[in-house]
Amino acid sequence: MGEKAQEQVQKGNFFKPIAAWFGNYPIALAVIGLSIIMSIMSSSFLSFNNIMNVLRQISMIAILAAGQFLVMVAGGIDISLGAVVGITGIVFSMGMVNLGMPPIVAGILAILVGAICGLFNGVQDAFLGIPPMIATLGTQSVARGLTYVLTNAYPISGLPESISFLGRGYLFSIPWPVLIMVVIFLIVGFVSQKTKFGRFVYASGGNSEAAYLSGIKVKKIKVLTYVIAGLLASLSSIILVSRLASGQPNAGLGWEFEAVTAVVIGGVSLAGGKGKIFGVLMGAILVGLLTNGMTLLNVNSYYQQMVKGLVLVFAVGLDVYQTRKRNKA
Amino acid sequence: MSEQILLELKGISKSFPGVRALDDISFQIKKGHIHALVGENGAGKSTLIKILDGIYRPDAGAMVYMGRQLSPRSPLDAQKQGISVVHQEIKLVDTLSVAENIFLGRPKTKHYLIDWRSIYKDAQDLLNSLDANLSAYAIVKELSIAQKQIVEICKAMSFNLELLIMDEPSATLTTKEQEVLFRTMRTLKAKGVTIIYISHRLEEIFNLADEVTVLRDGRLVGTSDVKNINRKQLISMMVGRDLENEYPKEKVEIGETLLEVKNLCRGRMVKNISFQLHSGEILGVAGLVGSGRTETARAIFGADKREKGSVIINGKELKGQSVAESIKNKIALVPEDRRRQGLILNMSVKENISLVGIDLVIKSKKINKALEKKMAHGFISKLRIQTPDEEREVKNLSGGNQQKVVLSKWLAVDSDVVIFDEPTRGIDVGAKAEIYRLLCSLAKEGKGIIMISSELPELLGMADRIIVMHDGKISGEVSGKDATQESILELAISR
């Protein structure tokens, strides 16, 4: 009897941290569950190549989501990111094709344009007090419109072969986009958890008034998160252009939606101040797996869009419900 | 003399996971009386109200109300039985009129259309019956807090009000507004309405209530006639021990000038403010709510731009007009609304404490976990912050402990001048005394303290000098020793 009780205690001690970990990241359970289902459906799912394939597919959305993560933790939201992918991709490709810039210069120019888009968003939100949903909706329209103006809605082709490795190449049999994604997530993880800037991002989103009265330059912090998000969107765009070997005016259409979905199901609160980058990575993987799985099952892509919409609403609903429950207790 | 019992609680108990919120509570409430319910935060008052209001159901026990069993299923159900609660936070629709709010959700109809005329007439009748000088057509947004409370009371009266429960209604009222509220309560009492009244302010209880029931840690300490008890006895019932001295003021040598404010102006609320603060001094700032006290504090602190005038600390004039500059020059502001302005509720105790002094725990560009933890531990033990550990989110702490976290954040950067805006608002008696002791020990260390407060006894008990504000200006100054509540009020109210 006594032994049994002791055994239970030990067992409890063993499972408790694991259970607690999954309690923090319920999304990880969903990823594991979905992976099991996929591996039953398709025997090749768990192969190294396929896993890399899936990760490569999600990498661009995930990089976008990493920026969105910072913006949302600081209490904002950026729905212009898809359009920023569009405009920066065109700047990148036209820079090389029409202006004859070397790829590195065109890349820097594209990143600059992304940062400017972010600055524009940030100033609207933090300094002018325009609700971020509307501010970035405006930016979205401006950026996408500009993309069409510059291209007449025709793709830009004839890009130099030298950039293709970014989208299609491998390093030690790991695709470049996956490597870049991992590095970005490590950096954002470090910045958000270990640095003063990261702490201030959480504080600004958690309670901007209290943060301000603690000497934090809340407006500056918020603008910076938008700038970083714009910057990462252009990076994501450069990978996309390299992968498609052309600049598509429609590139990134609707990506902001997938990025927001990844961030929210990754456990970042819409109210700001909460969430971890690891959850966002899991969120991006879950969205990727869902797309992948539905494609494997031959689900029509229009239906796929509906399913993703439902997933977002469900995730936000869960967030709202949990917040309410916590406030009650 | 047999007095009628309106409500009798018999052995009410209620538990939540990990807490026994109410344990075997039994007492009686007499019809037509004002019955005060007191106790420190966490004593179980809120839980008891929520049971009467039909939000919670008791685990055990029974309630007998007007001779029958009472078990309300929802606030609406309770209202239908004549029990209404006026909460501390007012629950009215700001953009609608007084009458629309009173009959919100229950429109009177005539021929399937809303009968506005009778709604406004009935609402006006209710307002008049309370002698409230208020129009049913007024938009709620434009009312004072006390007037809004009267609207809530009218709403309660529009059901057949028998028992009105008021949860700390006076906490955020100005003195003048309090008088309006108290008059209304007496009118209600004269109409035979029974009132359960919750307050942290003991003077009010002695002025208003007939009986007082004290709860502590979820248990009933006792019920007494207000006539048969004095202030000291009541406090010791609440705290469970004798509080030697409510205001542990210590004699401190007053040193040289730390802070000098000269002709400070900002908008309508800060007009030509000048004063000096010395080391070791506790300077009280009195005045009605809206007299510009908070605005002055924010302007000194650099949270709002100064339009004119100067702030000189340790002989150096602040020119930058920013919070960061004030912090660098060792000025701190402990704001009036802890939850909204003082704390990042989602963050841990540790992260809140290190927020201002984050540079002190940074080592090679990185937040050093060990240093941060050490800083938090230091203040948790120095200020006796009651928390299971430094990782606990501050929102789970009690008001007094939250206040100590806010204070720790400023002590971490060794501030010389600390401005406290309503340092003890919503804090229970025991925690108040601790905050007072902290103020004293800061003064002893040679810091300068500015203490803004609406509670005159606390200013009189703690401050060396009190400046009184009225309409954005300093209307007078009194020394802490000679001042009386009357002399301060005289200066605070317009003449």
Side-chain angles (χ1 to χ4, degrees):
Chain A
M1 160 76 203
E3 257 174 46
K4 204 172 177 185
Q6 204 168 13
E7 201 178 280
Q8 264 171 355
V9 169
Q10 275 173 356
K11 223 174 171 180
N13 281 345
F14 178 69
F15 283 114
K16 226 176 170 178
I18 298 178
W21 191 84
F22 277 115
N24 282 336
Y25 297 108
I27 177 90
L29 270 181
V31 168
I32 292 172
L34 204 56
S35 304
I36 292 172
I37 296 171
M38 303 270 289
S39 58
I40 292 167
M41 284 185 340
S42 154
S43 57
S44 61
F45 174 77
L46 277 182
S47 71
F48 179 79
N49 282 341
N50 189 56
I51 289 174
M52 282 306 140
N53 207 17
V54 171
L55 287 179
R56 183 170 59 194
Q57 278 166 7
I58 66 150
S59 60
M60 288 167 281
I61 296 285
I63 292 170
L64 217 57
Q68 185 73 269
F69 160 75
L70 287 174
V71 172
M72 288 179 67
V73 169
I77 190 167
D78 189 345
I79 54 174
S80 73
L81 289 178
V84 175
V85 168
I87 183 72
T88 52
I90 291 305
V91 167
F92 182 49
S93 9
M94 287 183 87
M96 290 182 291
V97 174
N98 300 34
L99 303 177
M101 291 176 176
I104 187 89
V105 176
I108 289 170
L109 185 66
I111 287 177
L112 207 65
V113 169
I116 289 170
C117 292
L119 187 68
F120 185 54
N121 285 327
V123 168
Q124 287 186 80
D125 176 0
F127 286 94
L128 304 180
I130 301 172
M133 196 76 92
I134 301 302
T136 58
L137 187 66
T139 308
Q140 180 189 59
S141 189
V142 172
R144 186 65 70 187
L146 184 59
T147 311
Y148 293 141
V149 168
L150 287 175
T151 59
N152 267 324
Y154 289 115
I156 309 288
S157 51
L159 302 179
E161 190 51 36
S162 60
I163 60 163
S164 70
F165 79 96
L166 264 179
R168 283 172 282 177
Y170 294 85
L171 183 69
F172 308 124
S173 61
I174 296 173
W176 269 99
V178 176
L179 284 172
I180 296 172
M181 171 183 80
V182 170
V183 170
I184 298 282
F185 272 73
L186 288 175
I187 293 173
V188 173
F190 176 81
V191 167
S192 66
Q193 297 309 311
K194 306 278 185 197
T195 68
K196 182 161 125 179
F197 171 72
R199 183 64 63 79
F200 285 4
V201 168
Y202 279 92
S204 303
N207 185 345
S208 60
E209 176 73 5
Y212 172 69
L213 289 178
S214 298
I216 296 172
K217 297 192 171 81
V218 174
K219 291 176 179 174
K220 203 172 109 191
I221 297 283
K222 284 192 97 170
V223 171
L224 270 173
T225 62
Y226 281 103
V227 170
I228 293 171
L231 222 132
L232 290 178
S234 41
L235 191 62
S236 171
S237 174
I238 288 170
I239 296 172
L240 180 69
V241 169
S242 313
R243 191 160 165 67
L244 299 175
S246 68
Q248 299 287 342
N250 274 330
L253 204 64
W255 280 19
E256 65 280 348
F257 174 83
E258 303 211 8
V260 170
T261 309
V263 172
V264 172
I265 62 180
V268 176
S269 170
L270 283 174
K274 228 166 46 189
K276 297 264 167 72
I277 191 70
F278 178 74
V280 175
L281 182 62
M282 289 292 120
I285 291 176
L286 191 78
V287 174
L289 284 180
L290 216 58
T291 313
N292 204 265
M294 286 192 292
T295 310
L296 278 180
L297 286 173
N298 273 328
V299 176
N300 176 315
S301 70
Y302 302 141
Y303 283 108
Q304 289 193 16
Q305 195 166 353
M306 289 171 62
V307 170
K308 285 185 204 162
L310 287 176
V311 168
L312 176 65
V313 172
F314 178 75
V316 173
L318 206 65
D319 172 46
V320 171
Y321 171 75
Q322 281 176 340
T323 312
R324 200 174 295 162
K325 209 171 74 179
R326 222 172 297 122
N327 289 348
K328 246 185 187 168
Chain B
M1 191 173 87
S2 88
E3 282 164 309
Q4 229 184 321
I5 305 297
L6 180 81
L7 174 69
E8 179 168 16
L9 304 181
K10 292 179 178 170
I12 298 288
S13 294
K14 175 77 185 171
S15 295
F16 296 104
V19 214
R20 197 158 174 80
L22 289 176
D23 189 4
D24 196 20
I25 302 291
S26 304
F27 65 96
Q28 297 175 334
I29 291 179
K30 291 176 185 150
K31 188 167 167 54
H33 279 199
I34 297 182
H35 195 117
L37 187 59
V38 299
E40 300 191 82
N41 289 342
K45 295 167 300 185
S46 308
T47 310
L48 191 60
I49 290 171
K50 284 182 175 158
I51 287 175
L52 287 169
D53 199 24
I55 294 172
Y56 295 152
R57 258 157 278 323
D59 300 335
M63 297 183 282
V64 180
Y65 172 66
M66 301 204 294
R68 57 191 156 80
Q69 197 76 17
L70 174 76
S71 51
R73 279 165 288 124
S74 67
L76 185 65
D77 187 33
Q79 278 176 334
K80 283 181 181 155
Q81 303 190 48
I83 300 175
S84 279
V85 179
V86 174
H87 292 277
Q88 198 176 352
E89 304 92 40
I90 285 160
K91 292 177 177 162
L92 295 174
V93 183
D94 261 355
T95 48
L96 297 182
S97 72
V98 168
E100 284 174 291
N101 267 289
I102 290 177
F103 292 102
L104 194 68
R106 304 168 291 134
K108 295 164 181 293
T109 54
K110 204 160 109 188
H111 314 307
Y112 300 102
L113 294 174
I114 294 181
D115 183 2
W116 288 113
R117 193 190 297 185
S118 95
I119 285 179
Y120 279 95
K121 188 186 165 299
D122 290 359
Q124 195 63 58
D125 287 348
L126 285 170
L127 292 164
N128 293 347
S129 75
L130 290 179
D131 298 324
N133 188 13
L134 198 61
S135 158
Y137 289 91
I139 300 299
V140 165
K141 191 165 51 184
E142 284 150 15
L143 304 184
S144 70
I145 296 176
Q147 287 174 321
K148 288 181 188 177
Q149 284 174 339
I150 288 172
V151 175
E152 291 246 34
I153 293 170
C154 286
K155 190 173 174 179
M157 286 170 68
S158 70
F159 296 88
N160 274 317
L161 184 62
E162 284 290 341
L163 176 62
L164 181 68
I165 301 168
M166 307 185 78
D167 189 0
E168 284 201 62
S170 63
T172 52
L173 296 186
T174 62
T175 323
K176 221 172 173 178
E177 288 180 318
Q178 282 173 23
E179 278 161 25
V180 175
L181 179 73
F182 297 160
R183 206 178 55 227
T184 309
M185 288 172 66
R186 292 198 179 100
T187 313
L188 277 175
K189 183 184 164 182
K191 289 176 185 299
V193 174
T194 310
I195 299 175
I196 296 181
Y197 184 67
I198 294 170
S199 178
H200 278 310
R201 299 188 176 174
L202 303 183
E203 300 84 43
E204 294 173 4
I205 290 162
F206 287 101
N207 280 335
L208 276 172
D210 301 295
E211 285 104 6
V212 55
T213 289
V214 181
L215 297 182
R216 188 172 69 229
D217 302 330
R219 292 204 186 79
L220 181 79
V221 180
T223 298
S224 166
D225 239 31
V226 168
K227 287 194 290 286
N228 302 336
I229 188 170
N230 65 29
R231 185 187 171 88
K232 209 168 165 199
Q233 289 167 321
L234 186 56
I235 291 178
S236 72
M237 274 171 92
M238 288 167 69
V239 187
R241 61 194 138 85
D242 280 325
L243 214 57
E244 315 258 295
N245 187 352
E246 232 181 303
Y247 304 109
K249 174 77 178 159
E250 288 173 57
K251 187 89 193 104
V252 176
E253 196 65 30
I254 303 232
E256 71 237 56
T257 307
L258 266 182
L259 175 79
E260 185 170 9
V261 176
K262 274 199 233 162
N263 306 322
L264 184 68
C265 293
R266 177 187 159 81
R268 289 183 299 116
M269 304 300 272
V270 185
K271 294 180 211 157
N272 224 9
I273 301 289
S274 302
F275 65 87
Q276 294 186 338
L277 175 72
H278 308 91
S279 88
E281 184 178 37
I282 299 181
L283 174 66
V285 180
L288 304 178
V289 173
S291 60
R293 300 172 309 176
T294 298
E295 290 77 5
T296 303
R298 286 180 66 101
I300 294 171
F301 186 56
D304 295 328
K305 287 249 178 309
R306 299 182 280 270
E307 285 163 5
K308 252 197 278 173
S310 53
V311 174
I312 300 155
I313 175 151
N314 287 324
K316 187 183 162 208
E317 183 174 349
L318 298 185
K319 292 242 165 80
Q321 303 247 18
S322 75
V323 175
E325 188 197 25
S326 304
I327 292 172
K328 214 165 63 201
N329 289 288
K330 308 225 174 280
I331 304 184
L333 173 69
V334 177
E336 59 182 327
D337 188 337
R338 280 186 294 288
R339 299 175 68 85
R340 227 170 47 75
Q341 304 171 313
L343 296 166
I344 318 280
L345 291 170
N346 272 336
M347 281 190 169
S348 65
V349 170
K350 176 185 79 180
E351 289 169 327
N352 270 286
I353 289 178
S354 66
L355 202 57
V356 178
I358 190 97
D359 287 332
L360 299 172
V361 297
I362 284 187
K363 236 180 174 176
S364 51
K365 302 249 167 210
K366 226 177 94 180
I367 295 172
N368 185 299
K369 280 221 163 81
L371 279 178
E372 192 180 25
K373 200 169 160 178
K374 203 174 136 206
M375 177 191 270
H377 275 290
F379 286 106
I380 289 172
S381 63
K382 187 176 166 202
L383 270 56
R384 292 193 292 159
I385 301 172
Q386 271 156 35
T387 172
D389 56 52
E390 75 283 353
E391 301 291 350
R392 179 58 60 104
E393 288 184 352
V394 282
K395 68 173 164 219
N396 298 319
L397 267 52
S398 72
N401 286 306
Q402 287 183 342
Q403 189 68 305
K404 290 183 194 169
V405 171
V406 180
L407 186 52
S408 306
K409 169 169 96 171
W410 291 110
L411 296 183
V413 290
D414 198 26
S415 308
D416 288 338
V417 170
V418 187
I419 307 172
F420 287 89
D421 196 354
E422 301 284 5
T424 61
R425 174 180 289 175
I427 292 179
D428 58 55
V429 179
K432 269 184 188 173
E434 278 194 75
I435 298 282
Y436 297 142
R437 264 195 291 279
L438 275 168
L439 291 183
C440 284
S441 70
L442 290 178
K444 251 207 268 186
E445 287 170 32
K447 300 188 185 307
I449 312 279
I450 297 177
M451 177 181 182
I452 301 172
S453 176
S454 295
E455 291 194 42
L456 295 181
E458 141 181 315
L459 283 178
L460 292 172
M462 295 299 299
D464 298 299
R465 202 151 55 91
I466 300 167
I467 55 180
V468 187
M469 287 190 69
H470 170 70
D471 197 22
K473 286 182 281 219
I474 294 181
S475 55
E477 181 183 320
V478 286
S479 95
K481 272 204 302 285
D482 314 328
T484 59
Q485 300 213 17
E486 290 73 27
S487 65
I488 293 175
L489 270 177
E490 178 82 6
L491 289 166
I493 295 167
S494 99
R495 281 159 298 167

